[in-house]
Amino acid sequence: MSSAPGGRLEQPYSELTKLATEGITKRIDRRLAFYQIDDAALSMIVETGRVIDEKMPKIISAFYHHIGEFPEATRYLRKIDISVVKLKQQDHWRRLMFSEFGEDYVRSAVRVGVAHYRVNLPLYLYISGYNNFGDYILGCTLS
């Protein structure tokens, strides 16, 4: 496998998605154990998801309002239809909250990661996005 300038893989993204999905799916039980996600945790995720789901449009709007204050983040949003991204994001969070963490979930999560990789989104922005969503979700569950 060769690298392009800057270390990016030349391999087509669909092949990258396929390989990553297959690799993760084979080890999903081990990953869930590492994250301490057992049947009880899955039930809690679904229960919390029911509370969060109705608030998700508000959470997503708050998220984009927040990142709108940071040009280093908003520059990645200039060439996309934000309404489409918000819908995809809502689908992503629904899969996270209501899935069994099977191959469908893994395939979707890998596609999300690859999409962020394709635009060279810095890892700290990607991780901070999850941190922000986690904060919003925690706030919703505590209120």
Side-chain angles (χ1 to χ4, degrees):
M1 200 177 307
S2 62
S3 291
R8 290 291 188 212
L9 298 174
E10 292 177 351
Q11 187 174 13
Y13 295 111
S14 59
E15 184 65 18
L16 180 62
T17 301
K18 179 181 174 207
L19 290 171
T21 300
E22 288 171 0
I24 294 169
T25 301
K26 287 178 186 175
R27 298 182 309 273
I28 193 67
D29 290 338
R30 187 79 178 139
R31 288 201 178 200
L32 291 173
F34 181 78
Y35 291 122
Q36 298 180 336
I37 299 175
D38 57 11
D39 289 340
L42 284 172
S43 293
M44 192 181 313
I45 290 168
V46 170
E47 188 178 321
T48 303
R50 289 187 187 111
V51 173
I52 299 305
D53 192 44
E54 67 187 39
K55 298 176 181 180
M56 192 53 67
K58 186 177 179 178
I59 292 169
I60 291 172
S61 291
F63 171 73
Y64 282 102
H65 176 76
H66 171 73
I67 66 171
E69 298 173 14
F70 299 91
E72 65 268 33
T74 58
R75 71 187 202 116
Y76 294 95
L77 303 174
R78 291 187 187 130
K79 296 180 181 177
I80 60 173
D81 181 347
I82 199 71
S83 62
V84 171
V85 170
K86 286 180 176 182
L87 289 173
K88 286 183 177 188
Q89 200 162 52
Q90 190 162 335
D91 287 343
H92 170 71
W93 286 99
R94 279 189 176 134
R95 264 195 192 90
L96 178 67
M97 294 181 292
F98 300 116
S99 82
E100 298 283 320
F101 293 104
E103 187 174 346
D104 179 55
Y105 169 77
V106 171
R107 185 180 307 109
S108 176
V110 167
R111 275 195 308 259
V112 169
V114 169
H116 289 86
Y117 173 85
R118 288 178 68 180
V119 299
N120 291 322
L121 185 75
L123 187 57
Y124 84 94
L125 290 176
Y126 186 76
I127 292 171
S128 70
Y130 272 91
N131 181 63
N132 287 331
F133 262 88
D135 286 347
Y136 295 132
I137 290 170
L138 183 59
C140 286
T141 58
L142 294 176
S143 62

